[in-house]
Amino acid sequence: NFWGSMFLNRYVLGGEFPRPDFCLQMHACDTMSKWFQQVSEHFSIPFFAIEWPFSRKEDSHELNKQYLIYQMQELIEWMEKITGRKYDDEKLLEALKNDCEVRSLWGEICTLNKSIPATLDHKTMFPLFIVSVIMRHEKEAVDFYRMARDEIKWRVENQIAAIPIEKCRIIDDNEPPWFFLQIFRHMEKYGAISLGSHHTFFLAGAFEEQPNGTLGPRKTPAQNGKEPRTREEALKVLADWYLDWPLFEAITYPERKRAMLFRMVKEWEADAVLLHLNRGCEALTQGTAEDRLALAKAGIPVGTYESNMVDTREMNIAQVLDRIDAFMESLGLPPRAPNEGFPPAEPN
């Protein structure tokens, strides 16, 4: 879509496609750098990519952190050179503060969904989590998540449920078919609620072990009394938070996602797992077949469906819904009656 808009010179919001001054991209999967390399070549503008170093945290964390810091320092010098502008460290410090708080707040929101009944369903989480993905460095994002956290906490305290009757709690693993989010509403007909996914939790949030041994929101540098004051300190924090990212760790080490799925099932008190064999993202889907076997061996009910998160040609909707129906039936869940769980209609 991006390339098509660029080549046709038609912007999605109207008018001509805007010409960028330079291209900057973090390279964490096979399409990212090549995507903006093409943009750079099309407009004949400068291009810079930061390579995301993948490894398990216990293997090469400090080495990878230094490598990432070096690249960011090089990037700053490069931007100053090509723009003729001096880099503003105060804006970096402010953006980092917002970034960490937003990811911590989303971790807290996901943790609040351990409540029974769950106060958030997965479909509702998507428009909430995307704010962290695209603008977590902005103060508006911090304000948004503080308000969302407070409202969700109030809903939990007052036992306000996401669906009328919660009969089954399900954990998902992958990106959904974005063009068919009705799949989650379809499950609700059986009283089944998706509590979230490995993707939704860990792309947007930051987590850490809590004193009681459970997973919860990561403390920000300010909460730890170690708020950075200089560029060098800020880049160290940024690199550390970027590398402590379970979603990207799982791309290289699928067994990490498997272990986290088990943990999510236990801590969110899920009854089953639904795995998306997503042909639209090979990185997040590798190891899914092994995940299914491991979960089933442990006695955790697990269902799968095949699709593509973006390409409608690779999803047979009727077939997927049939698989969902069969999975719900295997869990002993009959379809909910039309008015079950809702108050009786008021007379006219």
Side-chain angles (χ1 to χ4, degrees), residues 101-113 119-120 128 141-157 217-218 220 223:
E101 185 169 357
V102 163
R103 289 183 60 199
S104 179
L105 284 166
W106 181 247
E108 184 177 357
I109 289 169
C110 294
T111 304
L112 285 168
N113 216 35
T119 197
L120 281 177
L128 299 180
V142 175
D143 295 339
F144 171 80
Y145 280 111
R146 285 176 180 170
M147 288 190 295
R149 185 270 317 276
D150 292 345
E151 180 177 337
I152 292 162
K153 186 180 290 186
W154 179 85
R155 289 170 63 89
V156 170
E157 291 168 353
R218 181 173 179 175
T220 66
Q223 290 170 331

Side-chain angles (χ1 to χ4, degrees), residues 90-202:
E90 290 302 317
K91 288 185 177 179
L92 169 65
L93 291 167
E94 180 64 24
L96 175 64
K97 179 181 177 181
N98 295 336
D99 185 310
C100 293
E101 185 169 357
V102 163
R103 289 183 60 199
S104 179
L105 284 166
W106 181 247
E108 184 177 357
I109 289 169
C110 294
T111 304
L112 285 168
N113 216 35
K114 293 180 180 181
S115 64
I116 299 177
T119 197
L120 281 177
D121 66 281
H122 202 177
K123 189 173 185 293
T124 302
M125 295 177 87
F126 291 133
L128 299 180
F129 103 117
I130 200 63
V131 175
S132 172
V133 176
I134 63 176
M135 55 178 292
R136 59 181 173 270
H137 60 290
E138 299 282 359
K139 181 64 167 61
E140 289 85 351
V142 175
D143 295 339
F144 171 80
Y145 280 111
R146 285 176 180 170
M147 288 190 295
R149 185 270 317 276
D150 292 345
E151 180 177 337
I152 292 162
K153 186 180 290 186
W154 179 85
R155 289 170 63 89
V156 170
E157 291 168 353
N158 290 275
Q159 292 193 305
I160 297 176
I163 63 174
I165 293 182
E166 182 179 290
K167 295 181 179 179
C168 180
R169 296 164 64 87
I170 291 176
I171 288 291
D172 200 347
D173 73 319
N174 209 319
E175 293 175 283
W178 292 110
F179 52 88
F180 192 70
L181 296 180
Q182 296 96 314
I183 192 171
F184 299 106
R185 293 289 181 252
H186 186 77
M187 290 193 295
E188 289 176 11
K189 294 195 303 183
Y190 294 88
I193 180 171
S194 175
L195 305 168
S197 71
H198 187 275
H199 168 263
T200 310
F201 284 12
F202 299 116

Side-chain angles (χ1 to χ4, degrees), residues 7-300:
F7 291 136
L8 293 171
N9 196 28
R10 290 166 52 190
Y11 193 47
V12 64
L13 299 180
E16 295 184 348
F17 191 89
R19 177 187 174 87
D21 295 305
F22 62 88
C23 292
L24 165 62
Q25 180 65 15
M26 178 75 83
H27 185 70
C29 78
D30 54 355
T31 62
M32 288 182 170
S33 284
K34 304 308 291 185
W35 172 357
F36 283 94
Q37 181 183 355
Q38 184 69 52
V39 178
S40 168
E41 292 173 357
H42 179 76
F43 288 109
S44 298
I45 56 176
F47 168 66
F48 195 102
I50 290 183
E51 181 187 14
W52 198 305
F54 288 107
S55 74
R56 289 173 291 203
K57 189 171 182 179
E58 65 272 19
D59 291 343
S60 310
H61 184 69
E62 286 304 316
L63 182 63
N64 287 335
K65 187 162 72 171
Q66 290 303 318
Y67 176 52
L68 197 50
I69 291 169
Y70 172 80
Q71 291 185 84
M72 290 190 287
Q73 290 171 332
E74 186 180 25
L75 167 63
I76 289 172
E77 294 175 3
W78 179 84
M79 288 191 294
E80 287 184 327
K81 181 178 179 180
I82 66 168
T83 64
R85 298 180 182 179
K86 183 173 175 55
Y87 192 76
D88 191 331
D89 290 335
E90 290 302 317
K91 288 185 177 179
L92 169 65
L93 291 167
E94 180 64 24
L96 175 64
K97 179 181 177 181
N98 295 336
D99 185 310
C100 293
E101 185 169 357
V102 163
R103 289 183 60 199
S104 179
L105 284 166
W106 181 247
E108 184 177 357
I109 289 169
C110 294
T111 304
L112 285 168
N113 216 35
K114 293 180 180 181
S115 64
I116 299 177
T119 197
L120 281 177
D121 66 281
H122 202 177
K123 189 173 185 293
T124 302
M125 295 177 87
F126 291 133
L128 299 180
F129 103 117
I130 200 63
V131 175
S132 172
V133 176
I134 63 176
M135 55 178 292
R136 59 181 173 270
H137 60 290
E138 299 282 359
K139 181 64 167 61
E140 289 85 351
V142 175
D143 295 339
F144 171 80
Y145 280 111
R146 285 176 180 170
M147 288 190 295
R149 185 270 317 276
D150 292 345
E151 180 177 337
I152 292 162
K153 186 180 290 186
W154 179 85
R155 289 170 63 89
V156 170
E157 291 168 353
N158 290 275
Q159 292 193 305
I160 297 176
I163 63 174
I165 293 182
E166 182 179 290
K167 295 181 179 179
C168 180
R169 296 164 64 87
I170 291 176
I171 288 291
D172 200 347
D173 73 319
N174 209 319
E175 293 175 283
W178 292 110
F179 52 88
F180 192 70
L181 296 180
Q182 296 96 314
I183 192 171
F184 299 106
R185 293 289 181 252
H186 186 77
M187 290 193 295
E188 289 176 11
K189 294 195 303 183
Y190 294 88
I193 180 171
S194 175
L195 305 168
S197 71
H198 187 275
H199 168 263
T200 310
F201 284 12
F202 299 116
L203 179 62
F207 296 79
E208 66 184 1
E209 194 101 355
Q210 303 299 299
N212 63 2
T214 63
L215 203 62
R218 181 173 179 175
K219 285 186 177 180
T220 66
Q223 290 170 331
N224 281 323
K226 299 178 180 178
E227 195 166 1
R229 304 294 180 187
T230 65
R231 178 192 298 183
E232 291 70 23
E233 291 174 352
L235 295 182
K236 286 179 182 179
V237 172
L238 191 59
D240 182 64
W241 277 61
Y242 272 23
L243 292 172
D244 187 18
W245 215 319
L247 184 81
F248 292 102
E249 188 180 50
I251 290 176
T252 312
Y253 303 95
E255 69 274 9
R256 289 303 177 96
K257 183 172 80 168
R258 194 169 310 135
M260 191 61 78
L261 285 173
F262 275 98
R263 185 167 190 174
M264 292 168 69
V265 167
K266 180 180 179 181
E267 294 190 16
W268 273 260
E269 299 187 57
D271 303 295
V273 177
L274 184 64
L275 302 175
H276 180 195
L277 298 168
N278 175 15
R279 290 190 290 270
C281 182
E282 299 89 340
L284 295 182
T285 306
Q286 63 172 330
T288 301
E290 289 81 2
D291 295 342
R292 186 189 70 80
L293 290 173
L295 290 162
K297 186 176 180 180
I300 298 171

